Amino acid sequence: MDLKKLAEILIPDTDLLPPEEYENIYPERSGVKGEVTRLAPSPTGFIHLGNLYSALADERAAHTTDGVFYLRIEDTDEKRKVDGAVESVIRSLKYFGINFDEGAEINSPLNIYGPYYQRQRAKIYRAFAKRLIEQGLAYPCFCTEDELNAVREEQTAQKLITGYYGKYAKCRNLTFEQIEANVKAGKPYVIRLKSQGSTENKILFKDAIKGEVTVTENDQDVVILKSDGIPTYHFAHAIDDHFMRTTLVIRGEEWLSSLPVHIELHKVLGFKPPRYAHTCSLMKMDGGTKRKLSKRKDPELSLDYYRKAGYFPKAVVKYLMTILNSDFEEWTLKNPDADYRNFKFRIEKMGKSGALFDLDKLNDLSRTEISKLSEEECFEFLKGWVDEFGTDKDKAHFKDKDYIIKVLALIMGVGGKKRRKDIERAEQGVRLIDYFFDDTFAPEYNYRFDKKTVNCVLEKFALSYDPADDNSAWFAKVKAIAPAVGFAAEMSEYKAHPENYKGNVSDVAEILRIAITGMPNSPDLCTIMGILGKERSLARLNAAKI
């Protein structure tokens, strides 16, 4: 068979470069000492925790070795493409502090290995497919979907491995005349790899995470070019990783089953494969058993879950680091205030089996990280959430930065010795300060005392209130009211003779607290009233009467 003529019939493009020229177009990266890694998602619009987990491993592997981390978009399946998906990936990862050095939609002087969209690289793939046909390593397949389904049913019935191989590869031995006639008749065709492998042979493979892995050679004649001339993932990734000079591919363990195909593709293409590192799946406990996180069952799998709830992004990243490297948690205990990027991340320290994702542990870490924020950082964190997910009222409130910072200093203990450590999400923090604004103040006047007592307390305190009072003077006035309404001014008096009083001075303060905040518990009430101002404080005391 005249293979060169066959290649011209199947791939008639006249503008393809000789494959070897791409070695000059995409030379080895000069000056890059470390790993070259990539994130290569499909533009489907859904980015999940697993993507962040993998992206963090890629980014750390590159940046702790003075390497390069780039973004490639694997858009070979046009049907799955969602507008704005690429921007969503970049935006979502940036929120978590993960940035690319080069790649799709990245403005970088390093962008000399593009295009970074696979559909824009079609000529490169077609040039290599044509070369494989000329070498007798690829051929056209004219089988219809119905014919392939029939083969699959026959194999399933006989309990055989399903696929296009051996005697089931019906187009593998077509003559030149048969192929030419089919092409002239307009029959659609794909290009398949003519596999040289055998399931009788084993390959010992060194995985960067799992260590030595034994796999069976590939014997499947996989599709490398689809009928529209666009490559399959398998073919495209082998070519792109070579010419983008990728040194390390970190991917989920579900890709282990494709490893024999990828090993063979690199071999027939004449490329040295990158190192592969297969990560373990993210798991969760469910009813006492471990299972994989599910898109259908687990909202926490979506990255939007963490953004909408307002998790502190650094907390999410640091928690994932504890899963990625077993010694990271010990390092943070020794270096509690150090930037996590100072930790020496190592691929070989990644887990070999399922990684347990525990939302409770993430919540704990998020509370700790939020409690460390300065006034400015706390404001910016909450405002960032408000700008994207807050109500119109929230957005109006956060326009007054000075006022918000005063509130945060009190509510969250920012800048003080006693930091509040029960806030794990921005949404909680924003809702905690609602009562400082009249349009979101929604009090529940659940007093424990009768109408006459409550109203008397409120009226008497309103008459004596002076915003110039410090805490000591303020509380002295609360104590002065107590005997006049039947309460003990001193706790010792109340403990000695509780039957003589309606309650004690703390109960008087509770009535005032409910009137001002709508709640029986709050931070320092004197300070709250000082922030609200005299006019608003007195208005609330008056409105709280029953």
Side-chain angles (χ1 to χ4, degrees):
M1 185 183 294
D2 187 339
L3 294 175
K4 190 167 182 62
K5 187 175 180 181
L6 176 63
E8 293 293 341
I9 291 173
L10 297 174
I11 302 180
D13 311 45
T14 58
D15 58 348
L16 301 180
L17 295 175
E20 52 272 11
E21 284 199 24
Y22 288 105
E23 296 291 344
N24 298 321
I25 296 172
Y26 301 112
E28 294 285 349
R29 292 176 181 265
S30 62
V32 177
K33 300 177 182 177
E35 301 285 7
V36 178
T37 65
R38 46 75 163 176
L39 188 68
S42 299
T44 59
F46 179 73
I47 182 166
H48 54 76
L49 193 66
N51 297 132
L52 176 61
Y53 178 75
S54 180
L56 179 59
D58 280 314
E59 187 270 340
R60 289 291 79 211
H63 291 160
T64 56
T65 60
D66 294 326
V68 174
F69 176 44
Y70 71 89
L71 175 65
R72 184 173 76 225
I73 302 302
E74 300 190 337
D75 58 346
T76 56
D77 189 346
E78 187 73 5
K79 295 176 183 176
R80 299 179 66 205
K81 184 179 179 181
V82 174
D83 290 340
V86 177
E87 292 76 10
S88 177
V89 168
I90 296 170
R91 186 172 58 251
S92 295
L93 294 180
K94 188 175 182 180
Y95 175 79
F96 292 99
I98 295 177
N99 299 298
F100 297 97
D101 300 307
E102 66 177 79
E105 306 304 322
I106 307 297
N107 184 15
S108 169
L110 298 175
N111 282 4
I112 61 173
Y113 290 88
Y116 295 92
Y117 288 85
Q118 288 185 328
R119 293 189 75 86
Q120 296 174 17
R121 299 171 66 84
K123 288 183 180 179
I124 305 174
Y125 311 129
R126 291 175 69 78
F128 277 91
K130 192 169 187 176
R131 175 61 58 85
L132 290 180
I133 295 169
E134 292 172 350
Q135 294 173 331
L137 296 172
Y139 65 93
C141 173
F142 300 91
C143 290
T144 65
E145 195 65 37
D146 287 343
E147 289 173 323
L148 294 174
N149 287 336
V151 168
R152 192 175 300 111
E153 289 172 6
E154 180 184 341
Q155 291 169 335
T156 302
Q158 295 182 32
K159 298 182 179 180
L160 298 172
I161 295 172
T162 58
Y164 203 83
Y165 63 93
K167 69 177 184 179
Y168 299 104
K170 296 185 177 181
C171 293
R172 192 176 211 208
N173 297 312
L174 293 178
T175 65
F176 179 86
E177 291 73 24
Q178 288 173 313
I179 293 172
E180 186 176 38
N182 284 338
V183 172
K184 286 181 178 179
K187 286 187 178 183
Y189 58 91
V190 299
I191 303 298
R192 289 184 180 273
L193 172 71
K194 184 177 284 187
S195 175
Q196 309 300 303
S198 168
T199 54
E200 307 233 340
N201 300 328
K202 302 293 182 182
I203 304 171
L204 186 62
F205 172 79
K206 181 68 178 292
D207 187 280
I209 294 174
K210 296 182 179 297
E212 290 189 348
V213 177
T214 301
V215 295
T216 301
E217 269 188 357
N218 172 62
D219 71 340
Q220 298 272 346
D221 288 1
V222 296
V223 175
I224 58 173
L225 279 190
K226 294 179 282 189
S227 58
D228 61 358
I230 297 299
T232 58
Y233 163 78
H234 304 295
F235 192 53
H237 108 279
I239 292 171
D240 290 342
D241 281 336
H242 177 71
F243 287 116
M244 293 180 182
R245 305 303 175 177
T246 311
T247 63
L248 175 66
V249 173
I250 303 173
R251 60 187 187 181
E253 61 187 354
E254 67 272 12
W255 288 104
L256 268 172
S257 60
S258 299
L259 188 57
V261 173
H262 298 163
I263 290 173
E264 183 169 15
L265 279 171
H266 280 89
K267 183 178 179 180
V268 299
L269 289 166
F271 300 155
K272 178 184 176 182
R275 290 192 302 142
Y276 285 101
H278 292 89
T279 63
C280 53
S281 300
L282 289 176
M283 315 285 282
K284 72 175 291 186
M285 295 302 296
D286 187 0
T289 58
K290 273 187 183 182
R291 65 166 175 80
K292 288 183 181 181
L293 281 172
S294 161
K295 181 179 177 181
R296 182 174 59 86
K297 295 179 181 179
D298 305 309
E300 68 267 31
L301 184 60
S302 169
L303 284 193
D304 281 344
Y305 172 85
Y306 302 95
R307 295 181 65 195
K308 288 177 181 177
Y311 276 90
F312 190 57
K314 189 183 290 184
V316 177
V317 170
K318 289 182 75 171
Y319 178 63
L320 288 178
M321 285 293 293
T322 67
I323 300 175
L324 284 169
N325 265 194
S326 57
D327 54 344
F328 178 76
E329 192 167 5
E330 181 182 348
W331 180 84
T332 55
L333 290 173
K334 294 178 180 177
N335 305 276
D337 298 319
D339 190 320
Y340 75 90
R341 287 169 290 195
N342 293 334
F343 171 75
K344 188 167 179 59
F345 175 80
R346 289 169 291 172
I347 287 292
E348 61 271 17
K349 294 294 287 185
M350 291 179 67
K352 295 178 173 60
S353 57
L356 185 62
F357 183 81
D358 188 336
L359 199 57
D360 289 336
K361 286 188 177 180
L362 171 58
N363 291 339
D364 287 341
L365 187 54
S366 191
R367 286 191 287 266
T368 299
E369 291 299 314
I370 290 173
S371 74
K372 295 178 182 178
L373 299 179
S374 68
E375 293 180 8
E376 187 74 21
E377 290 169 335
C378 191
F379 172 80
E380 292 300 331
F381 169 54
L382 296 182
K383 186 178 184 298
W385 181 86
V386 164
D387 287 346
E388 191 167 4
F389 301 108
T391 65
D392 289 340
K393 290 178 181 178
D394 294 334
K395 291 171 185 174
H397 297 165
F398 271 76
K399 287 181 179 178
D400 190 342
K401 181 177 179 178
D402 291 341
Y403 183 77
I404 292 287
I405 283 184
K406 284 181 186 177
V407 172
L408 293 177
L410 174 66
I411 295 298
M412 303 183 78
V414 176
K417 294 181 179 178
K418 292 185 178 180
R419 294 299 300 267
R420 185 166 188 157
K421 293 188 176 181
D422 61 343
I423 309 301
E424 63 196 34
R425 296 176 285 112
E427 185 179 26
Q428 290 176 317
V430 172
R431 295 284 73 85
L432 271 176
I433 65 176
D434 276 345
Y435 66 84
F436 280 90
F437 304 91
D438 294 338
D439 57 356
T440 50
F441 178 49
E444 294 182 8
Y445 298 126
N446 295 323
Y447 301 112
R448 294 188 291 115
F449 301 95
D450 60 88
K451 176 180 178 180
K452 182 179 178 181
T453 299
V454 168
N455 291 347
C456 188
V457 168
L458 298 178
E459 289 169 1
K460 286 183 177 294
F461 188 79
L463 289 172
S464 66
Y465 177 63
D466 183 347
D469 289 341
D470 60 14
N471 280 55
S472 179
W474 183 91
F475 190 63
K477 289 179 177 180
V478 176
K479 288 178 71 174
I481 293 170
V485 287
F487 291 80
E490 301 292 341
M491 285 299 296
S492 57
E493 295 174 5
Y494 180 71
K495 288 181 179 179
H497 303 286
E499 68 278 4
N500 294 340
Y501 304 100
K502 293 179 182 179
N504 58 64
V505 67
S506 66
D507 296 318
V508 176
E510 182 185 284
I511 293 171
L512 296 172
R513 198 178 303 279
I514 291 172
I516 295 296
T517 70
M519 302 175 291
N521 298 296
S522 76
D524 182 69
L525 189 56
C526 177
T527 306
I528 291 173
M529 294 179 73
I531 293 172
L532 290 172
K534 183 175 182 178
E535 184 178 338
R536 293 168 69 200
S537 294
L538 293 178
R540 289 192 180 187
L541 291 173
N542 185 57
K545 294 176 184 176
I546 54 177

